[in-house]
Amino acid sequence: MSSYVDEIKASLAAQQYIASDEIATVLYLGQELGKPVLAEGPAGVGKTELGKVWASATGRRLIRLQCYEGLDETKALYEWEYAKQMLYTQLLRDKLRDVTGDVATLSEAADRIAAEESVFFSERFLLPRPLLQALTSPEPAVLLIDEIDRADTEFEAFLLEILSDFQVSVPELGTISARHHPLVLLTSNNTRELSEALKRRCLYLFLDYPTVEQEKDIVCLKVPELAPKLAQEAVELVHELRNLELKKLPSISETLDWARALVKLNARHLDEQTVENTLTVLLKHEADLFRARRAMGWQDGAGRQNPYGPGGRDLDDLTPFRRPGRRY
């Protein structure tokens, strides 16, 4: 393994991020080849956090673009500060009279004003959004394009020029090229298929849920107050929940929230009452709670009806994951 990859792993570890050899290798190649990295995987496995710690580990400014349906250039790239332009117009109206004072026709006046429009469509009135900020940043930056799969395909196509050439065309100003090539990380929860054109421009990295031991290491690193034995029990339970057919599987961030909750409750072990009282930290749907309780061999103590409807949707076929010696 390259010493450079080991250095990246060590620098990420210093930011409390446990990276695999694959993660460190792809980040290293992204830096060396000048290519964006596309990190794909389930929600909550640390993709966004990777962008944050990558910026901290490299000493770069983090610039984040959060994607959503309907995102367009004016929110991602730039827009003109029309209010500021209007203010300057009012302040300079006497000067405008001088410019148009000796004209004979309205058409000639319009031509005179048009000749001065470069004053109002200059960088003085340009409001940069995250993409343009990353290109024009005076210091090297990390550009985090978060949840690109939430944006429309039209916006995805718009990104191609930036990701290929690290430049963008502004009609009023011409082509703006990056002062420093930013390190680019795109994240996707895989809610839709991204275009081949976008994927070709990126190095691909798939982040899945960690193993039990890996997740225990994460918990012990992030929540050192939690006893290692309790951390082991908690992580094992989370992994067993992920084996159920839930609407939303508990993420790593929710595992950490649960670990912190156990610390606040001064829990010494995982008994049925503790798990029951804190299960909503991990699961966020009523149907998932019902399924988890049944899988653990519990009755639904509040007498709630099965949210999956009459018949239970195969709940009776679930094998409770009660183990010998386990208190729940």
Side-chain angles (χ1 to χ4, degrees):
M1 182 59 61
S2 166
S3 61
Y4 297 108
V5 172
D6 292 335
E7 288 176 9
I8 289 179
K9 287 183 66 176
S11 61
L12 293 178
Q15 303 299 322
Q16 293 195 319
Y17 191 96
I18 300 175
S20 65
D21 289 342
E22 180 186 8
I23 291 174
T25 300
V26 172
L27 292 186
Y28 171 71
L29 291 176
Q31 292 179 194
E32 293 302 305
L33 300 177
K35 293 180 72 69
V37 173
L38 171 61
E40 200 165 53
V45 294
K47 301 184 297 295
T48 300
E49 185 67 13
L50 179 59
K52 295 177 181 178
V53 298
W54 196 16
S56 297
T58 55
R60 292 177 174 237
R61 174 191 176 193
L62 175 68
I63 299 175
R64 179 177 177 179
L65 173 63
Q66 178 62 52
C67 298
Y68 54 87
E69 186 177 353
L71 178 66
D72 59 17
E73 294 181 33
T74 61
K75 298 301 181 185
L77 184 59
Y78 74 93
E79 60 182 320
W80 294 105
E81 292 191 270
Y82 295 113
K84 189 175 179 180
Q85 289 171 325
M86 290 298 296
L87 175 62
Y88 270 60
T89 300
Q90 294 298 321
L91 294 174
L92 299 176
R93 57 186 175 183
D94 292 336
K95 184 62 178 177
L96 289 175
R97 290 195 190 98
D98 294 340
V99 171
T100 60
D102 59 346
V103 300
T105 65
L106 183 60
S107 176
E108 187 179 355
D111 290 340
R112 290 276 186 92
I113 294 174
E116 305 293 333
E117 70 179 7
S118 60
V119 174
F120 294 95
F121 288 96
S122 63
E123 292 189 16
R124 178 186 289 116
F125 300 101
L126 193 67
L127 184 62
R129 296 303 187 187
L131 294 180
L132 190 57
Q133 289 175 19
L135 294 179
T136 59
S137 175
E139 68 273 358
V142 168
L143 173 61
L144 172 61
I145 303 176
D146 212 8
E147 297 184 315
I148 181 61
D149 52 322
R150 290 182 176 271
D152 302 323
T153 55
E154 292 80 7
F155 180 77
E156 189 180 323
F158 159 73
L159 278 178
L160 298 181
E161 179 186 9
I162 296 176
L163 298 182
S164 295
D165 305 319
F166 292 99
Q167 66 180 30
V168 68
S169 299
V170 178
E172 298 87 351
L173 299 178
T175 299
I176 298 177
S177 299
R179 297 186 186 181
H180 307 279
H181 279 206
L183 301 177
V184 182
L185 176 69
L186 301 93
T187 73
S188 168
N189 294 333
N190 206 18
T191 59
R192 69 171 177 85
E193 186 69 24
L194 300 176
S195 71
E196 293 300 322
L198 179 67
K199 289 184 175 181
R200 276 199 310 273
R201 286 162 173 80
C202 301
L203 299 178
Y204 184 75
L205 177 64
F206 183 79
L207 296 182
D208 204 351
Y209 294 111
T211 65
V212 170
E213 286 305 312
Q214 289 171 336
E215 192 157 5
K216 180 193 172 185
D217 290 343
I218 293 171
V219 170
C220 291
L221 180 66
K222 296 283 191 178
V223 193
E225 307 91 339
L226 192 67
K229 182 179 179 182
L230 184 54
Q232 180 75 27
E233 291 181 5
V235 169
E236 286 179 356
L237 187 143
V238 169
H239 276 250
E240 289 171 336
L241 288 174
R242 288 183 187 143
N243 288 328
L244 301 178
E245 293 184 11
L246 303 178
K247 292 179 66 175
K248 181 190 178 302
L249 300 180
S251 66
I252 299 174
S253 60
E254 285 158 339
T255 302
L256 294 173
D257 287 342
W258 193 39
R260 296 185 183 103
L262 294 174
V263 170
K264 293 296 183 182
L265 293 172
N266 295 315
R268 295 292 180 265
H269 53 76
L270 287 184
D271 54 44
E272 180 173 335
Q273 192 63 51
T274 299
V275 176
E276 169 70 16
N277 290 342
T278 58
L279 197 57
T280 53
V281 178
L282 295 171
L283 304 179
K284 308 301 170 73
H285 293 276
E286 183 187 6
D288 289 349
L289 289 167
F290 189 93
R291 177 173 283 260
R293 291 185 181 109
R294 288 293 299 271
M296 293 180 199
W298 302 345
Q299 297 296 322
D300 195 23
R304 290 182 284 266
Q305 292 184 346
N306 183 352
Y308 286 114
R313 191 179 135 184
D314 299 328
L315 286 178
D316 291 334
D317 295 332
L318 291 173
T319 302
F321 45 78
R322 185 189 299 271
R323 291 183 181 175
R326 188 173 269 182
R327 295 180 176 86
Y328 53 86

